[in-house]
């Protein structure tokens, strides 16, 4: 299983004081040194954290693939076509949300999303679709020719009881199995932390996890490279070495 690190929240800290630091591009370089497999940045329409210069610079600064998370907003699509990230992950976007709240509904928005998928693919960008772990959504992703799906683990990560956790895991497992059998590359992400990742790594059909908030939070205490190394070890299925290390990230 691969690890993509989302550095948006380094930029969130920068936005808090309108400073030049901390720089998410420097964070991306350190994450790469720590061994992550890709870097994710979400250029939101409202530019609340990642800025245009970040996506321009990171493309030049890192060797691992750059995965640009984005909506299908026309201005952002044009930026993607200019920057040419290795991958674009299409997500729904609402101005008021704290973070992405759900997957794109490919049944409702099939034609609009398909048009953007084709447009980005014509520029040589690999396209991933962020969808809820539902088989019909994966079916639509396949039908519109996207090679990658990222299943939304948000509901799983917000689940509080073992019963609701099990229900969500079952949904993720079934959707991941279906997507893999259909020949899609399967990623997952949203709300994954150093504890709840342990059940997700058991799902062998998932080939990549994209994780942001928990890694950047842990970086406050242990540094960003250590935070990435620890998560990489968990994603690789290893136990965290230091006792009690994950309690207070
Ligand atoms: N994947 C997608 C598609 C996302 O929108 C996000 C949040 O930006 C993530 C992964 C990472 O989520 P988190 O910050 O909760 O780890």
């Amino acid at each position: 299983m691969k690890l993509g690190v989302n550095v948006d929240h380094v930029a969130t800290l920068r936005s808090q004081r309108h400073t030049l630091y901390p720089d998410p591009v420097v964070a991306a370089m350190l994450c790469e040194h720590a061994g992550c497999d890709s870097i994710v940045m979400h250029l939101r329409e409202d530019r609340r954290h990642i800025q245009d210069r970040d996506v321009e610079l990171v493309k030049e600064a890192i060797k691992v693939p750059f995965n640009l998370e984005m909506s299908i907003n026309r201005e952002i699509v044009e930026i993607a076509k200019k920057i040419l990230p290795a991958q674009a992950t299409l997500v729904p976007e609402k101005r008021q949300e704290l973070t992405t709240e759900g997957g794109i509904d490919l049944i409702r928005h099939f034609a609009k999303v398909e048009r953007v998928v084709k447009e980005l693919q014509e520029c040589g960008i690999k396209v991933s679709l962020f969808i809820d772990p539902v088989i019909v959504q994966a079916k639509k992703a396949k039908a519109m020719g996207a090679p990658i799906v990222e299943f939304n683990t948000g509901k799983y990560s917000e689940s509080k009881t073992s019963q609701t956790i099990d229900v969500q895991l079952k949904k993720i497992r079934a959707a991941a199995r279906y997507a893999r059998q259909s020949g899609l590359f399967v990623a997952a992400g949203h709300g994954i932390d150093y504890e709840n990742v342990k059940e997700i790594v058991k799902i062998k059909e998932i080939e990549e996890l994209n994780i942001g908030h928990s890694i950047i939070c842990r970086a406050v205490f242990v540094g960003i490279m250590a935070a990435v190394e620890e998560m990489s070890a968990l994603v690789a299925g290893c136990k965290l070495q230091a006792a009690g290390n994950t309690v207070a990230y």
Side-chain angles (χ1 to χ4, degrees):
M1 203 178 271
K2 292 180 174 180
L3 173 64
V5 179
N6 179 318
V7 294
D8 290 353
H9 294 305
V10 175
T12 302
L13 277 177
R14 181 184 60 185
S15 304
Q16 285 294 309
R17 294 288 178 97
H18 307 291
T19 47
L20 294 175
Y21 59 85
D23 191 329
V25 179
V26 174
M29 292 164 77
L30 292 171
C31 292
E32 178 176 53
H33 278 293
C36 77
D37 298 291
S38 59
I39 293 293
V40 187
M41 283 184 179
H42 185 175
L43 184 67
R44 295 185 75 104
E45 292 160 34
D46 63 9
R47 307 298 200 275
R48 69 171 71 157
H49 40 48
I50 293 297
Q51 304 299 314
D52 296 50
R53 66 70 91 177
D54 302 328
V55 296
E56 283 162 22
L57 289 177
V58 82
K59 168 79 195 314
E60 304 304 322
I62 59 168
K63 288 173 216 74
V64 290
F66 171 39
N67 178 0
L68 176 65
E69 202 182 308
M70 56 182 275
S71 70
I72 58 168
N73 167 281
R74 180 46 39 196
E75 184 211 358
I76 303 291
V77 172
E78 291 306 324
I79 291 172
K81 285 165 67 178
K82 201 174 90 204
I83 304 284
L84 298 176
Q87 185 177 320
T89 298
L90 303 185
V91 297
E93 199 175 296
K94 288 188 223 130
R95 294 228 162 193
Q96 304 311 324
E97 67 193 357
L98 272 180
T99 180
T100 313
E101 283 171 354
I104 305 191
D105 185 345
L106 296 180
I107 299 166
R108 230 170 122 193
H109 303 296
F110 191 94
K112 270 194 293 187
V113 178
E114 185 186 38
R115 217 172 304 132
V116 173
V117 169
K118 300 263 180 286
E119 202 177 333
L120 295 174
Q121 282 178 333
E122 274 163 23
C123 298
I125 302 168
K126 257 198 274 176
V127 181
S128 172
L129 299 173
F130 182 62
I131 54 176
D132 289 331
V134 176
I135 286 174
V136 285
Q137 294 291 341
K139 226 177 232 180
K140 293 289 173 195
K142 179 78 184 168
M144 67 175 70
I148 309 167
V149 285
E150 178 175 335
F151 287 117
N152 177 15
T153 50
K155 283 215 172 102
Y156 160 71
S157 62
E158 284 160 16
S159 296
K160 302 274 186 273
T161 66
S162 59
Q163 208 177 2
T164 51
I165 289 171
D166 280 351
V167 168
Q168 294 305 325
L169 280 173
K170 261 191 203 124
K171 287 187 181 173
I172 297 167
R173 256 185 237 118
R177 194 166 305 139
Y178 174 84
R180 276 284 271 162
Q181 280 166 0
S182 313
L184 292 162
F185 181 92
V186 179
H190 216 277
I192 298 298
D193 63 31
Y194 291 81
E195 283 304 322
N196 67 21
V197 70
K198 292 169 190 167
E199 286 304 314
I200 294 292
V201 298
K202 293 179 188 164
I203 305 174
K204 297 300 169 213
E205 287 83 2
I206 298 177
E207 295 160 274
E208 180 183 82
L209 288 180
N210 291 312
I211 306 177
H213 186 258
S214 65
I215 292 178
I216 304 308
C217 289
R218 184 143 176 81
V220 171
F221 294 150
V222 302
I224 198 162
M225 289 184 68
V228 170
E229 282 162 8
E230 288 172 8
M231 188 58 89
S232 291
L234 290 169
V235 167
C238 309
K239 292 226 161 52
L240 208 55
Q241 293 303 310
N245 218 359
T246 60
V247 178
Y249 61 84

